Amino acid sequence: MKLFANLIRDLDSTNKTTAKVAALVDYFNKAPDADKVWAIAILSHRRPPRPVNTTIVRSWAAESANIPLWLFEESYHIVGDLAETIALVVPSSQNSCDKSLSHFIKEIIELKSLDDKEKKTYLVKNWKALAYYESFVFNKLITGSLRIGISQKLMTRSLSISTGLEEDVLAYRLMGNWDPGTTTFHNLIIEQRKSDYVSKPYPFYLAYGLEGKIDELGNVTDWNIEHKWDGIRAQIIVRNQEVFIWSRGEELVTDKYPEFHGMPGNIPDGTVLDGEILAFPNGVIGSFNDLQTRIGRKNISKNLLKKSPVILKVYDLLEWEGIDIRNLSLLKRREQLELLLKNPNVGKLPLYLSENKLLNSWEEVAKERSKSREHRSEGLMLKRKDSPYRVGRKKGDWWKWKVDPLSIDAVLTYAMRGHGRRTNLFTDYTFALWDKDRSELVTFAKAYSGLTDAEFRKVDSWIKKNTLERFGPVRSVTPKLVFEIAFEGVALSKRHKSGIATRFPRILKWRQDKKIEEANSLEDLKMMIPFLDSV
Amino acid sequence: METPLLIFNENGIYCKEANVYLDPWHPVDRAIITHGHADHSRWGNKEYITHTTNVPIIKHRLGEIVVHGKEYNEKFVVNNVTFSLHPAGHIIGSSQVRVEHKGEVWVFTGDYKIENDGVATPYEPVKCHTFITECTFGIPPFKWVPQEQVFKNINQWWANNREEGKTSVLFGYSLGKAQRLLKYLDTSIGKIYTHGAIENMTEVLRPQVLFPPTTLITRDTKKKELIGNIVLAPPSAHGSTWIRKMVPFVTASASGWMAFRGARRRRAIDKGFVLSDHCDWEGLLKAIESTGAEKIIATHGYTEIFSRYLRDQGYDARTEQTQFEGEMNELNTEPEEKPAP
Ligand SMILES: [Zn+2]
Ligand SMILES: [Zn+2]
């Protein structure tokens, strides 16, 4: 338990990825194989079931700490975490425990079938035998609340360093529903499989923001002009009758998007598509806000699939008939892609071509760009027709030409302390707009960037002098300051109090020239929503 | 019924019989001061009485004041009321105040801890009938480990940071905590640098306690010379521009609040060491027991929970509102800030 508790402590005490990876590598180098499998499972949210009900655990903890239950509950209320409270109040051991993680897990799983008396004996014995932090981790396991997750990316990078295997191979091996109770480390990680190469993606080619003037790009007909879709950049691979979906963070997200699971059979093996996953409610492209309901979900219910379906806007073909065609020109690749998408078998799939806009002058291009919001796009992508598909971020062949952000004047209503070097200043702000009859301010967005350090200091000291109420770390302030808030997009949203969600809100300017009466209203914001009637 | 020996009024803890206040929060004629922290020794009293070792501290903080120093256990009588100061073990010069009148004895602890930290004169229990105790950390989750262990961890942390080519920045209250840390830093690891607030306060205390040498960080201090060394800074320096000089640095805070994972995270501190100049839960209970008191009045901290527990245990316990802030300042780094009315 000592080794695993140390790992959790290290992961919990840093937000630097390098330190997290170092801690994981160290753990993978030292821990026994059976423990590694469980550690991977727990850190990727494959927790063992909770064996005891927490109400009764609280009473046992109070008894072991020799304090009345009400005092335990008050303490829990103040500490805010049950596992931590138990570890703090029940006297723990000075010595650490060498019993392995997998041994504990086995006991914890068996615990479920024991009666309360036996459960109590087991818990009390361990509270007293474990050192403080081990006891904390043990409590997290028995209350099923160990939520220190590690992204797939960090997990595979650490395993790669520790085992010498490639990251994308590891990502594939960690996918799906394996059971940590019956899988060995060798089976899961080490064993070579013919299928490993099958899932291998290509590195994404990434565009730069347009620099200089648009007409400096030369002849407009040399360029493929598409809208820049605001979704999740993804590569979909069909090989060996299987489909694999990789997101731009090179995370394997196949399980999250069952819409594409019908591709094998309808799309020939040896096909790799590059495109953008977009929300597609009611048969039209949705906002990023719509997509948000899908991104975090691991379990995709039928209902969610119906309410928030997704599509892929396809813009490139990287592999065809098993051959890497990235060195062909974009023109050639797109020809093949269009042919593929016209196939009637493919027509049933949620795959849509990202159209090349046939435009004759840069003026027409600029005009198209100004219509981006109506198309639910962020602007335009300009791709040189004779360019190969490059690796990573390279200048020259692909440019993104985003639309200017939208902006609105809003009133500062709440403030919270910042993070990192700004923890001392109130730099996380909540902004409000007037309601319909301009009688009340309604919260609409949070923003914490866009001011200079000097401005933040000034606003910070104003906040401290104009605090109305404190709610934990948050303060409400006298509505007085007006800021111009910029954002990339706007959509209706049931999850927001205002009924409207903005994308990437940030402070554009402190409008010291404006009074709160001059701030905008929610109605003004609603006017900025594209094709409101279709939602 | 007679007026109690000590009452809590709008100015502070008041002894009517002697017309004396203990740690008043508004200016009064005569104040007995337990120790030099800002919430216990405020500006504006006509006359201050405090322990001799606290005299230079409050003079440093409050400037020109009329102050009389007393020794521990030295009795002084004001209008038939006998007062004496007794070691509180909180910080250098900290006292409990014993008040006796017609055979009735009250003790006000100010802030205190029962662990001997080797810097402050160790706490001594004082027998009394009524005990006015702080309870900043008066709930069971607070349980201190012996300071030797904490200092071992702190020095180990410093040595590791040095190995990684980083500067260690350790936050602690500039009066008390900073000197306690300073006393036990292992100078074989590297040099100790200080923030101005800590350097000045330590200078005041050097005639009374032997401390390792320190170097004040000034405008001329080079980034390079700091690397691998340790910097002692008040909590308010966290997130300031001043700290940028220490890049690349690792931060740690030494405070009782660091017992909670959430506290360290909220403050965005890399490491927390649990080290307090107040009693932990067990310490408070032990202290109360050794006074033999039947009546307990809990001030600043988790007063309601603490006094309810004491009543469960058969004590006549209640709480009183004060304007003492306990160790709260270490979490809430804004100095003397008041919300708008
Ligand atoms: Zn104090
Ligand atoms: Zn205090």
Side-chain angles (χ1 to χ4, degrees):
Chain A
M1 195 57 142
K2 182 182 165 192
L3 218 48
F4 185 67
N6 282 344
L7 171 66
I8 297 298
R9 189 204 302 256
D10 289 346
L11 294 176
D12 187 40
S13 64
T14 182
N15 37 31
K16 298 192 182 85
T17 37
T18 48
K20 286 189 180 186
V21 169
L24 284 163
V25 170
D26 189 55
Y27 181 80
F28 290 134
N29 289 343
K30 286 180 184 158
D33 280 359
D35 281 20
K36 288 189 232 180
V37 174
W38 271 110
I40 294 167
I42 291 165
L43 293 173
S44 56
H45 307 289
R46 291 175 174 87
R47 290 187 291 264
R50 190 176 77 186
V52 274
N53 130 333
T54 54
T55 316
I56 195 156
V57 171
R58 298 211 286 262
S59 70
W60 295 338
E63 196 188 318
S64 305
N66 200 16
I67 56 175
L69 184 59
W70 71 263
L71 183 55
F72 179 87
E73 297 289 358
E74 290 282 1
S75 301
Y76 171 31
H77 184 73
I78 291 162
V79 176
D81 182 288
L82 182 59
E84 189 179 353
T85 310
I86 297 172
L88 285 167
V89 303
V90 180
S92 46
S93 164
Q94 298 301 315
N95 305 314
S96 52
C97 165
D98 288 327
K99 200 160 84 179
S100 72
L101 170 67
S102 42
H103 195 135
F104 271 105
I105 302 272
K106 196 170 150 258
E107 289 173 352
I108 289 170
I109 292 171
E110 284 164 3
L111 200 57
K112 209 171 164 57
S113 55
L114 301 185
D115 64 31
D116 276 358
K117 205 171 147 233
E118 292 166 308
K119 283 180 183 171
K120 182 179 171 187
T121 312
Y122 176 77
L123 293 185
V124 173
K125 182 186 84 191
N126 281 294
W127 285 334
K128 300 201 164 151
L130 293 166
Y132 163 69
Y133 208 86
E134 295 165 1
S135 169
F136 164 66
V137 173
F138 172 77
N139 295 333
K140 283 275 171 195
L141 291 173
I142 58 161
T143 54
S145 58
L146 190 61
R147 292 215 173 78
I148 298 167
I150 292 295
S151 74
Q152 192 190 78
K153 183 83 192 147
L154 283 194
M155 182 61 82
T156 52
R157 190 188 304 168
S158 313
L159 275 169
S160 168
I161 295 170
S162 175
T163 60
L165 297 169
E166 277 182 67
E167 283 183 44
D168 43 22
V169 169
L170 288 166
Y172 167 65
R173 290 184 186 173
L174 291 180
M175 265 200 65
N177 294 320
W178 49 275
D179 176 3
T182 56
T183 312
T184 68
F185 188 69
H186 187 85
N187 285 343
L188 182 67
I189 301 294
I190 304 295
E191 202 176 32
Q192 294 283 336
R193 268 165 281 181
K194 234 197 272 157
S195 54
D196 285 346
Y197 88 95
V198 168
S199 68
K200 215 170 146 63
Y202 295 102
F204 285 92
Y205 179 22
L206 307 170
Y208 268 92
L210 183 66
E211 302 160 351
K213 289 225 170 64
I214 186 74
D215 45 18
E216 285 163 19
L217 292 180
N219 203 332
V220 71
T221 51
D222 291 344
W223 295 83
N224 187 82
I225 294 157
E226 301 164 45
H227 276 279
K228 183 183 183 312
W229 305 109
D230 184 18
I232 298 166
R233 178 82 182 271
Q235 223 176 94
I236 301 191
I237 297 171
V238 178
R239 291 180 191 136
N240 251 13
Q241 298 287 306
E242 268 192 276
V243 61
F244 305 92
I245 307 171
W246 292 86
S247 76
R248 202 191 102 183
E250 281 172 45
E251 250 184 275
L252 203 46
V253 292
T254 315
D255 297 347
K256 287 189 183 174
Y257 302 103
E259 282 92 342
F260 306 109
H261 291 185
M263 283 171 67
N266 291 310
I267 295 258
D269 279 343
T271 304
V272 178
L273 303 175
D274 183 13
E276 197 91 4
I277 295 179
L278 298 172
F280 205 63
N282 309 316
V284 290
I285 294 177
S287 65
F288 194 83
N289 196 53
D290 296 322
L291 192 57
Q292 210 96 51
T293 56
R294 292 288 299 271
I295 292 175
R297 290 303 165 84
K298 207 147 201 178
N299 299 318
I300 312 293
S301 68
K302 270 207 179 102
N303 196 20
L304 185 65
L305 269 180
K306 216 170 121 196
K307 236 176 68 191
S308 307
V310 300
I311 60 158
L312 184 77
K313 270 279 189 190
V314 199
Y315 34 70
D316 218 324
L317 182 67
L318 311 186
E319 181 178 308
W320 178 241
E321 296 178 333
I323 296 165
D324 173 3
I325 59 166
R326 289 177 297 158
N327 276 325
L328 294 182
S329 69
L330 175 65
L331 200 66
K332 284 263 159 59
R333 300 197 308 270
R334 295 261 317 190
E335 265 172 29
Q336 189 56 60
L337 175 63
E338 284 177 32
L339 222 60
L340 167 69
L341 294 181
K342 275 189 195 127
N343 181 314
N345 279 340
V346 177
K348 305 180 285 194
L349 299 165
L351 303 176
Y352 294 76
L353 182 72
S354 172
E355 307 86 348
N356 173 25
K357 295 281 168 190
L358 295 169
L359 302 167
N360 298 314
S361 68
W362 290 117
E363 287 79 56
E364 284 182 33
V365 175
K367 215 164 143 201
E368 182 65 32
R369 171 176 171 258
S370 69
K371 288 188 283 186
S372 296
R373 287 214 168 81
E374 295 161 35
H375 291 98
R376 272 275 152 83
S377 92
E378 295 182 282
L380 296 179
M381 286 297 302
L382 312 169
K383 299 174 179 174
R384 203 182 280 280
K385 284 179 181 165
D386 61 5
S387 64
Y389 189 92
R390 299 183 187 276
V391 170
R393 214 179 273 280
K394 294 261 160 50
K395 269 188 195 177
D397 289 336
W398 281 21
W399 298 105
K400 49 185 175 194
W401 194 25
K402 291 221 232 178
V403 287
D404 297 326
L406 298 161
S407 81
I408 202 156
D409 292 332
V411 181
L412 174 68
T413 47
Y414 294 92
M416 207 172 90
R417 267 171 220 288
H419 297 282
R421 67 186 177 85
R422 285 179 175 166
T423 43
N424 231 6
L425 297 177
F426 284 91
T427 59
D428 292 11
Y429 305 143
T430 301
F431 295 96
L433 295 170
W434 291 108
D435 65 359
K436 220 172 190 161
D437 37 5
R438 297 190 71 89
S439 62
E440 221 178 297
L441 285 163
V442 184
T443 294
F444 93 102
K446 288 192 170 105
Y448 44 86
S449 65
L451 294 182
T452 64
D453 281 4
E455 284 173 320
F456 270 129
R457 273 197 298 277
K458 243 172 116 180
V459 177
D460 171 77
S461 82
W462 183 91
I463 288 166
K464 286 171 184 166
K465 283 187 220 107
N466 291 278
T467 298
L468 294 176
E469 272 182 286
R470 303 174 187 218
F471 316 90
V474 180
R475 295 166 171 219
S476 65
V477 298
T478 319
K480 181 124 197 232
L481 304 190
V482 178
F483 292 82
E484 186 177 351
I485 308 300
F487 41 91
E488 294 301 324
V490 53
L492 289 178
S493 161
K494 286 208 183 77
R495 292 189 300 156
H496 291 75
K497 195 177 157 196
S498 63
I500 304 173
T502 52
R503 182 133 157 82
F504 292 135
R506 60 206 182 263
I507 306 164
L508 203 59
K509 208 169 165 199
W510 181 3
R511 298 300 303 254
Q512 286 172 277
D513 56 320
K514 290 211 168 178
K515 293 205 172 75
I516 59 166
E517 292 75 25
E518 297 170 78
N520 286 104
S521 68
L522 280 175
E523 294 302 303
D524 298 335
L525 183 62
K526 266 187 203 154
M527 299 297 283
M528 296 179 182
I529 300 174
F531 46 89
L532 190 54
D533 44 356
S534 76
V535 182
Chain B
M1 205 183 102
E2 238 179 297
T3 355
L5 189 49
L6 295 176
I7 58 163
F8 291 74
N9 69 19
E10 66 282 4
N11 293 326
I13 304 175
Y14 183 50
C15 178
K16 192 162 177 254
E17 199 66 30
N19 191 24
V20 167
Y21 279 89
L22 312 184
D23 291 356
W25 41 86
H26 291 139
V28 299
D29 285 346
R30 191 179 271 175
I32 299 178
I33 298 297
T34 60
H35 67 289
H37 280 151
D39 54 328
H40 289 263
S41 55
R42 292 177 199 248
W43 186 84
N45 299 307
K46 287 208 181 106
E47 185 190 348
Y48 293 78
I49 301 166
T50 193
H51 189 261
T52 46
T53 52
N54 190 34
V55 172
I57 298 172
I58 56 171
K59 276 193 164 168
H60 171 74
R61 280 204 39 248
L62 303 173
E64 273 315 303
I65 51 170
V66 179
V67 53
H68 304 287
K70 301 284 179 194
E71 296 304 326
Y72 289 128
N73 297 305
E74 176 188 344
K75 290 190 169 151
F76 53 100
V77 180
V78 185
N79 294 350
N80 286 325
V81 182
T82 308
F83 293 89
S84 54
L85 303 180
H86 303 267
H90 174 53
I91 59 168
I92 303 174
S94 65
S95 320
Q96 309 172 71
V97 184
R98 182 181 182 276
V99 187
E100 182 180 355
H101 182 63
K102 291 183 184 162
E104 191 184 347
V105 181
W106 289 50
V107 166
F108 168 55
T109 64
D111 293 340
Y112 70 114
K113 70 169 177 290
I114 61 173
E115 182 183 24
N116 178 2
D117 68 9
V119 182
T121 310
Y123 168 85
E124 284 172 18
V126 181
K127 293 276 176 214
C128 58
H129 301 104
T130 304
F131 189 53
I132 305 173
T133 177
E134 61 127 331
C135 56
T136 306
F137 294 107
I139 51 170
F142 292 108
K143 204 175 292 174
W144 312 148
V145 296
Q147 68 168 12
E148 291 72 45
Q149 187 57 48
V150 182
F151 287 116
K152 213 179 108 194
N153 295 345
I154 291 176
N155 284 315
Q156 186 63 53
W157 168 79
W158 178 14
N160 291 349
N161 296 340
R162 187 185 174 90
E163 230 163 78
E164 290 172 15
K166 288 182 180 150
T167 302
S168 304
V169 181
L170 181 54
F171 298 110
Y173 227 29
S174 57
L175 168 59
K177 189 65 64 61
Q179 289 76 30
R180 185 176 174 195
L181 293 166
L182 177 58
K183 178 88 184 168
Y184 296 100
L185 287 177
D186 181 354
T187 49
S188 71
I189 300 170
K191 272 178 81 176
I192 304 166
Y193 285 82
T194 50
H195 179 279
I198 289 176
E199 182 66 20
N200 293 343
M201 190 48 88
T202 306
E203 213 44 52
V204 172
L205 296 170
R206 279 190 191 276
Q208 303 184 30
V209 187
L210 189 66
F211 291 117
T214 51
T215 310
L216 174 66
I217 294 181
T218 65
R219 201 169 298 204
D220 303 322
T221 310
K222 300 270 179 301
K223 244 186 198 181
K224 252 201 178 143
E225 64 175 285
L226 292 173
I227 287 181
N229 293 317
I230 197 164
V231 178
L232 285 177
S236 58
H238 184 41
S240 70
T241 48
W242 176 83
I243 207 168
R244 280 189 222 154
K245 210 193 232 329
M246 284 95 221
V247 172
F249 63 80
V250 187
T251 56
S253 180
S255 154
W257 297 105
M258 292 299 135
F260 294 172
R261 280 160 69 241
R264 180 182 54 70
R265 301 203 113 182
R266 272 194 293 280
R267 293 271 282 116
I269 298 252
D270 297 319
K271 182 121 185 123
F273 296 106
V274 185
L275 187 76
S276 176
D277 289 320
H278 296 261
C279 287
D280 64 2
W281 167 256
E282 293 288 343
L284 288 167
L285 297 180
K286 210 182 280 175
I288 287 168
E289 206 189 328
S290 58
T291 63
E294 281 160 13
K295 284 190 183 165
I296 312 294
I297 300 171
T299 66
H300 57 323
Y302 296 104
T303 48
E304 292 301 337
I305 299 173
F306 189 62
S307 57
R308 176 173 169 196
Y309 179 77
L310 292 178
R311 284 195 296 277
D312 275 8
Q313 305 301 305
Y315 289 96
D316 174 1
R318 64 185 169 94
T319 69
E320 284 285 354
Q321 287 298 320
T322 66
Q323 291 187 17
F324 306 134
E325 290 159 8
E327 209 173 327
M328 285 301 182
N329 279 342
E330 297 198 6
L331 263 195
N332 182 5
T333 58
E334 299 145 53
E336 318 279 76
E337 178 208 340
K338 290 269 169 325

